[in-house]
Structures are given as structure tokens and as C-alpha cells.
Amino acid sequence: MSPGGFDHSDTGEEFLTRMRVHAREHQLGQVLGSDAGFFFERDPDTVRAPDVSFIRTDWLPPPEQRKHYSPVIPDLVVKVVSSNDRPGEPRDKMQFSPDHGVPLVWVADPGPRTAAVHEPGAEPRVLCEGDVLDGGDALPSFAVPVMGRVPSWPSADAAQLRGHTLRPQRRQHIGRDPLHHPELLL
């Protein structure tokens, strides 16, 4: 699978960060990123690696099983729609997950700033910017606005307040010659 791009990564990391902070503060369990694989079926094996996942403390696999794909299905899965996804692909993957025991699945789409909520036995609900995603029983007391953001990088003023001086940097832009495009020299 090819990388998802800037918005995909930023959205996934935002969910990961907020969920991890909440889970640690309340000692609820483990939040994992897109490198964690989970067995959704055995014989033949089907492994899925959601963008973000959460497993409650009482369901965490023993330490000796954490070096490999997890045999434990997550309590909450977040899939971030990427510009590389084929039409219908994210929806198909996420409908697959609730049918295999994931209590709560969120499909976040950074483009239109929406999130679809999938739960077993229920029709998906689509939330829009300004609505709130609720962790429910899967991630208790966790709530986040749809596509809610905190600033990723400090502003120049904030950096200077901490005693740092931001200096312009030269950047090379692939496919464009900075000698013929002086605006690329920062």
C-alpha cells in the first residue's frame, strides 16, 4: 500500500495523539498507530492494520504475543480516508471490521471533514464538522470534534518567545528548477 499523503498522516496522528493522551490519563488501555497488525481471521489468515486502534487494558495480549500481529481485535479502529483510496475501498474495509468484532469504527475523511461511525448491527452514521465523535463504551469519556485540530507547529511568535530565532531555509522542490523559479528559494 502506498503512503497516504500529508492530510492523511496529519489526521491519523491527530487521532492517535488525542486518543493516546486520553487513554494514558485514565489508564484505559493501549493506542496503536498504523504499523500494528491484527488478525481478523485465521486459516487463512487475514491481517488488517488500521490507521489508529485502541485496545482496553483488560484485553491487551500478554507481552510474549506483542511482538507479532495481535490475536486480539481492537475495541476502536480509526481509518483515515486517503486520496490514494479507490472509491468505496475505505467503506468496504470498515464494514468488514465491525462484522469481525470491532465494537466501534470511525472512518475520517479529511477532504469534506466528515466521519462515518460504524457499529455492529447498526447503519453507519455520518458526522460533519462541528459534530462530536464519542468513544462510547469502547473508549469511555473520550470525545473529539470531527476534524478538530490543535496547531501542529508553533507560530514564529511562539518560537521567538521561547528564545529561538527562525531563519529562512533553502528548499529544493522536486521537478522545478529554483534557478528559473526564484520564488522557490526561501
Side-chain angles (χ1 to χ4, degrees):
M1 175 180 250
S2 59
F6 190 89
D7 285 343
H8 178 271
S9 178
D10 186 49
T11 301
E13 291 297 321
E14 187 69 28
F15 274 104
L16 180 106
T17 300
R18 289 180 183 226
M19 289 169 62
R20 181 171 279 164
V21 166
H22 179 79
R24 284 184 177 168
E25 283 180 359
H26 300 282
Q27 300 177 4
L28 297 172
Q30 183 70 46
V31 177
L32 302 166
S34 60
D35 291 338
F38 297 89
F39 285 112
F40 277 86
E41 288 184 8
R42 299 293 264 185
D43 298 322
D45 292 348
T46 300
V47 176
R48 296 281 188 239
D51 293 306
V52 182
S53 55
F54 168 74
I55 301 176
R56 293 187 335 231
T57 301
D58 54 336
W59 282 102
L60 285 171
E64 63 274 6
Q65 291 182 0
R66 296 182 194 181
K67 295 177 182 159
H68 308 287
Y69 299 135
S70 174
V72 177
I73 300 293
D75 294 282
L76 171 61
V77 162
V78 178
K79 164 64 177 150
V80 180
V81 176
S82 167
S83 59
N84 298 333
D85 289 332
R86 293 184 297 262
E89 182 181 8
R91 184 177 60 250
D92 294 342
K93 283 184 182 177
M94 289 305 101
Q95 287 176 351
F96 176 85
S97 295
D99 292 340
H100 287 82
V102 178
L104 183 59
V105 178
W106 295 337
V107 180
D109 193 339
R113 295 180 180 262
T114 61
V117 178
H118 298 260
E119 297 176 275
E123 288 295 315
R125 293 178 289 124
V126 178
L127 304 178
C128 299
E129 188 172 16
D131 291 334
V132 175
L133 285 165
D134 185 332
D137 293 335
L139 184 56
S141 69
F142 179 79
V144 63
V146 173
M147 297 302 153
R149 293 290 164 83
V150 294
S152 298
W153 298 294
S155 67
D157 292 340
Q160 289 170 351
L161 286 174
R162 290 193 310 269
H164 299 287
T165 303
L166 299 178
R167 287 180 248 131
Q169 297 178 355
R170 294 181 66 128
R171 292 185 173 181
Q172 179 68 35
H173 291 262
I174 296 173
R176 295 183 72 188
D177 180 3
L179 296 176
H180 293 90
H181 299 278
E183 73 276 9
L184 296 178
L185 296 173
L186 299 177

